Amino acid sequence: MSTQSLYKVPGDIAANALINNEQYKKMYQESIVNPDGFWREQGKRIDWIKPYTKIKQTSFDDKDLSINWFYDGTLNASANCLDRHLADGSDKIAIIWEGDDARDQRTLTYGQLHDQVCRFANVLRSQGVCRGDVVTIYMPMVPETAVAMLACARIGAIHSVVFGGFSPDSIASRVNDGQSRVIITADEGVRGGRSIPLKHNVDLALEHPDVQCVEKVIVLKRTGSDIYWVEGRDIWWHSLMELASEHCPPEEMGAEDPLFLLYTSGSTGNPKGVLHTTGGYLVYAAMSHEYVFDYKPGEVYWCTADVGWITGHSYMVYGPFANGATVLMHEGVPNYPSPARLGEMIDRHKVNILYTAPTLVRALMAEGKEHFEEYDGSSLRIMGSVGEPINPEAWRWYHEVIGHEHCPIVDTWWQTETGGILITPLPGATDTKPGSATRPFFGVKPALVDNQGNILEGANEGNLVLLDSWPGQMRTIYGDHDRFVLTYFKTFRGMYFTGDGARRDEDGYYWITGRVDDVINVSGHRLGTAEVESALVAHEKVAEAAVVGYPHDIKGQGIYAYVTLIHDTEPSEELRQELRQWVRKEIGALATPDLIQWASGLPKTRSGKIMRRFLRKIAANEVTNLGDASTLADPAVIDTLIESRLNRS
Ligand code: 6R9
């Protein structure tokens, strides 16, 4: 193995880890050669009502697609996350919560969480929610959000969490897609010193003429601010909870019954409702949480992701709670009111494991390490990264300044669709290289293929695919199974296509190079360029728009929009601001274009298809080697765009 920039597993970690390198190799081999035997054992880490006898029945053939795991077993996810831990003592802490204002502190034991979940499950039932119904959750980062999710799971309802940063329009389309009759929200959320009008956004979403399905809105009082109230539709969380019984036996669910829906962006069309089922997902989330973070009982684990993303689902709720972990949950952002907040929280709560995103590391790095002079950090043992490629410079800064050079970093590659981590180091097993997600997790068979789908061997670069199923895999796109098959299994026959590109080095380590489709990754948030484009063209002054990502120091990628205005409209700085605000209103703040370049024309093929590769290069200021422009209907467009490109340095 090349030793350049190799970070060896620290000896004390290897000696005490759940998995060392020998074990990794042996278990990985077993998981690939004998998946049934491997997963038969791993499935036992959770409690089944009726034990499974069938393990894996899967095929990636697009004509005969099937994904079934543990499929004759029955279980309940909330009982696995709560009830079974009560035997070791209901006083064990499940959630340590710190508000946006650090003076707001709460803890919930497993006993208390269980009590709340049972009550809220009864509340949902009292509002007519049945097994199989979709319930939308639009909530801030408070313990009640986990309560709401687990309460849905308890009665077999399917939760659909919508990130609190999304706009009323985005809420409306998700609510409608799932035909949700109940929405759970809060009066306001609080983040970085600002309040977020969650209930107001729900009100606006429900004014949408297309949204007819919603009957009840359950509102948690978080800030107590004045809100608009619709009698008969809106109900306070606390008044319902007062009346509810704390007795609620868990519903017996089939392993392949849906657990939740989570919308994510693809390269075309509206966000897709990714559907995860119960048994395989829970086994995979619990197992990966334990092994990837080397989680030991009693440790304090902090994941900074918002619960509105898959990371919040798998590694703040289901994985950790299935393992009986103590989870630190933070309402706000870890660099508010100052960059020192992250270190203060690690020290205050004696955090042992930290899981965060490269964009935060880069933001802290830009502020300077002096904010960490008071930081002790001695509790910290393992650090994780997720959401986007971590550049080696940020990796090293994270290792030195936050990890004091003794904490292994697990750079975990995965997706909403994969349900759990697929490529990652294990702290006690894998020597790391800054910027590499390293090796596949158990049961995962990655491969690289060229654009024709030929498998590339050895050290190589290509499209990242997966050759076989793993239990945490999504099962379908809600309401559109054909789109599921088309999106993931038709590009390369017989393989799951991730949409990412990757390089494999001479040691077999994977280096994710980023999306190869029209999805961009802004601060670890996935966004389809088509979504931003359709928001832009919905503005009355916009004739056409093309959106691409460009390299951004903090966000990883920024949003660069080329906009053609309608005839006789003069570009102006004011209009530029107006368009930025417009997109923000249409989708949410995370979609706000960073840069808008006025374009009198866009580079198109003769059949009218926009050639984005030129636009990407111009946005990245890589204009010396643009490649062949001969297929363009009007090659002169390119020169005009280069002349007027924005100086972004
Ligand atoms: C978990 C999550 C998925 C996309 C994925 C890839 C990028 C995630 C990464 C990473 C490089 C990592 N991505 N983790 N790229 N290294 N460690 O982020 O899910 O929001 O669905 O995004 O994020 O491009 O395809 P999701």
Side-chain angles (χ1 to χ4, degrees):
M1 183 175 279
S2 65
T3 49
Q4 188 200 8
S5 244
L6 190 70
Y7 288 69
K8 291 272 188 199
V9 174
D12 56 327
I13 299 266
N16 299 306
L18 295 167
I19 311 275
N20 63 30
N21 197 31
E22 289 317 305
Q23 286 161 317
Y24 166 77
K25 287 191 193 151
K26 196 167 151 275
M27 286 171 70
Y28 180 73
Q29 186 66 9
E30 159 87 3
S31 73
I32 298 300
V33 177
N34 177 15
D36 272 47
F38 180 85
W39 291 109
R40 185 186 306 279
E41 284 309 303
Q42 286 296 335
K44 294 181 186 159
R45 61 174 52 245
I46 63 170
D47 286 355
W48 298 83
I49 299 171
K50 175 170 158 272
Y52 50 84
T53 62
K54 311 263 197 255
I55 312 290
K56 175 177 191 281
Q57 194 268 313
T58 65
S59 158
F60 280 2
D61 180 346
D62 61 328
K63 299 271 181 299
D64 175 33
L65 188 76
S66 60
I67 305 166
N68 294 293
W69 285 91
F70 310 109
Y71 50 102
D72 62 346
T74 64
L75 75 163
N76 182 280
S78 105
N80 269 287
C81 290
L82 303 168
D83 307 41
R84 67 181 184 141
H85 306 312
L86 301 183
D88 343 323
S90 55
D91 291 344
K92 185 154 74 164
I93 307 289
I95 301 179
I96 305 172
W97 180 81
E98 177 164 316
D100 190 58
D101 179 333
R103 287 168 301 187
D104 290 338
Q105 302 275 339
R106 276 165 76 187
T107 54
L108 261 91
T109 63
Y110 271 92
Q112 289 164 329
L113 187 61
H114 177 261
D115 178 88
Q116 299 264 313
V117 167
C118 288
R119 281 174 196 269
F120 197 68
N122 284 325
V123 164
L124 290 174
R125 281 207 174 120
S126 75
Q127 299 308 307
V129 177
C130 299
R131 181 180 173 129
D133 287 353
V134 176
V135 174
T136 301
I137 301 179
Y138 183 68
M139 295 271 280
M141 288 286 288
V142 291
E144 284 78 4
T145 306
V147 170
M149 292 164 74
L150 293 169
C152 287
R154 195 156 192 95
I155 61 170
I158 306 167
H159 57 72
S160 166
V161 180
V162 177
F163 170 58
F166 279 123
S167 67
D169 279 358
S170 301
I171 304 169
S173 66
R174 288 158 171 79
V175 163
N176 236 2
D177 190 65
Q179 285 296 299
S180 197
R181 284 189 297 117
V182 172
I183 302 184
I184 307 164
T185 188
D187 50 0
E188 292 183 318
V190 189
R191 253 171 87 88
R194 288 204 313 253
S195 47
I196 300 148
L198 297 174
K199 170 63 165 58
H200 179 65
N201 288 346
V202 169
D203 291 334
L204 294 176
L206 297 189
E207 277 175 17
H208 226 278
D210 299 344
V211 184
Q212 297 294 336
C213 50
V214 176
E215 290 161 18
K216 298 286 174 194
V217 178
I218 303 176
V219 188
L220 177 79
K221 191 178 268 188
R222 166 65 189 100
T223 63
S225 76
D226 268 350
I227 49 172
Y228 176 73
W229 199 257
V230 178
E231 279 310 325
R233 184 194 74 180
D234 301 346
I235 338 159
W236 285 113
W237 171 294
H238 58 268
S239 45
L240 291 167
M241 286 290 264
E242 276 165 20
L243 307 172
S245 150
E246 76 283 2
H247 182 69
C248 180
E251 188 81 17
E252 180 173 356
M253 305 302 291
E256 287 298 341
D257 282 337
L259 180 61
F260 66 85
L261 275 180
L262 187 60
Y263 287 81
T264 194
S265 297
S267 38
T268 55
N270 290 329
K272 310 175 278 238
V274 168
L275 185 111
H276 282 288
T277 57
T278 310
Y281 171 81
L282 197 63
V283 169
Y284 199 83
M287 167 174 137
S288 52
H289 173 260
E290 185 186 23
Y291 290 156
V292 173
F293 300 104
D294 192 42
Y295 187 82
K296 311 266 176 52
E299 288 194 308
V300 177
Y301 163 87
W302 182 20
C303 167
T304 67
D306 192 282
V307 76
W309 308 113
I310 190 68
T311 307
H313 283 57
S314 302
Y315 298 112
M316 194 154 39
V317 176
Y318 288 108
F321 291 148
N323 291 335
T326 298
V327 175
L328 172 61
M329 183 191 244
H330 180 212
E331 182 178 40
V333 282
N335 50 356
Y336 171 85
S338 86
R341 181 72 177 267
L342 183 93
E344 288 164 7
M345 284 186 63
I346 293 172
D347 288 343
R348 179 157 49 240
H349 301 289
K350 308 259 179 305
V351 171
N352 305 112
I353 300 160
L354 172 69
Y355 193 25
T356 192
T359 188
L360 176 75
V361 176
R362 289 191 298 265
L364 293 175
M365 196 166 103
E367 297 280 353
K369 50 174 137 188
E370 57 276 18
H371 295 283
F372 291 87
E373 272 161 16
E374 313 265 289
Y375 164 62
D376 166 49
S378 54
S379 60
L380 203 60
R381 215 166 62 74
I382 312 283
M383 305 193 302
S385 171
V386 61
E388 48 173 323
I390 181 163
N391 47 311
E393 197 192 357
W395 195 104
R396 289 200 180 87
W397 192 91
Y398 191 30
H399 188 250
E400 282 162 32
V401 180
I402 311 297
H404 291 164
E405 300 189 355
H406 65 83
C407 301
I409 296 180
V410 288
D411 174 3
T412 63
W413 174 85
W414 59 296
Q415 311 179 299
T416 305
E417 295 89 333
T418 71
I421 295 165
L422 296 195
I423 302 183
T424 181
L426 298 184
T430 319
D431 296 336
T432 50
K433 301 181 191 183
S436 172
T438 77
R439 307 188 290 195
F441 189 66
F442 303 126
V444 176
K445 264 175 98 170
L448 301 177
V449 296
D450 64 17
N451 290 340
Q452 284 68 48
N454 301 307
I455 295 199
L456 305 167
E457 304 289 346
N460 230 317
E461 184 166 346
N463 302 297
L464 180 64
V465 296
L466 299 155
L467 301 180
D468 200 357
S469 181
W470 61 99
Q473 183 172 23
M474 76 183 281
R475 301 300 196 258
T476 191
I477 293 174
Y478 189 71
D480 198 348
H481 195 68
D482 289 348
R483 188 175 172 202
F484 175 59
V485 179
L486 182 70
T487 309
Y488 302 103
F489 301 95
K490 283 226 161 115
T491 319
F492 305 113
R493 301 287 301 266
M495 306 170 188
Y496 167 91
F497 179 39
T498 63
D500 279 316
R503 180 165 72 77
R504 190 174 45 226
D505 70 15
E506 61 285 1
D507 298 317
Y509 277 28
Y510 286 86
W511 301 70
I512 311 299
T513 51
R515 301 291 302 199
V516 293
D517 54 9
D518 289 322
V519 170
I520 52 181
N521 194 322
V522 184
S523 300
H525 300 152
R526 250 169 95 162
L527 207 56
T529 51
E531 284 170 72
V532 186
E533 287 163 6
S534 63
L536 281 166
V537 296
H539 188 278
E540 57 178 12
K541 293 193 175 136
V542 175
E544 202 167 28
V547 169
V548 295
Y550 73 97
H552 186 289
D553 286 348
I554 306 283
K555 300 182 184 182
Q557 281 190 301
I559 304 175
Y560 195 112
Y562 296 86
V563 171
T564 310
L565 295 171
I566 55 162
H567 192 58
D568 281 346
T569 303
E570 280 303 307
S572 67
E573 197 42 46
E574 218 181 331
L575 182 54
R576 194 176 261 145
Q577 286 317 322
E578 188 181 319
L579 291 180
R580 296 182 76 230
Q581 287 311 312
W582 172 265
V583 176
R584 191 187 170 95
K585 182 183 91 33
E586 292 273 302
I587 305 176
L590 56 92
T592 316
D594 295 281
L595 297 171
I596 296 180
Q597 171 172 346
W598 307 117
S600 51
L602 294 171
K604 289 185 186 165
T605 59
R606 285 185 195 89
S607 61
K609 197 172 170 337
I610 296 174
M611 299 283 279
R612 276 162 214 283
R613 66 189 165 91
F614 294 111
L615 297 176
R616 277 190 214 113
K617 287 207 165 173
I618 296 170
N621 272 344
E622 287 169 16
V623 291
T624 44
N625 184 15
L626 279 179
D628 182 13
S630 64
T631 52
L632 289 179
D634 176 12
V637 166
I638 296 282
D639 298 328
T640 320
L641 286 176
I642 292 174
E643 263 165 46
S644 59
R645 81 178 191 272
L646 300 167
N647 184 3
R648 51 166 200 84
S649 47

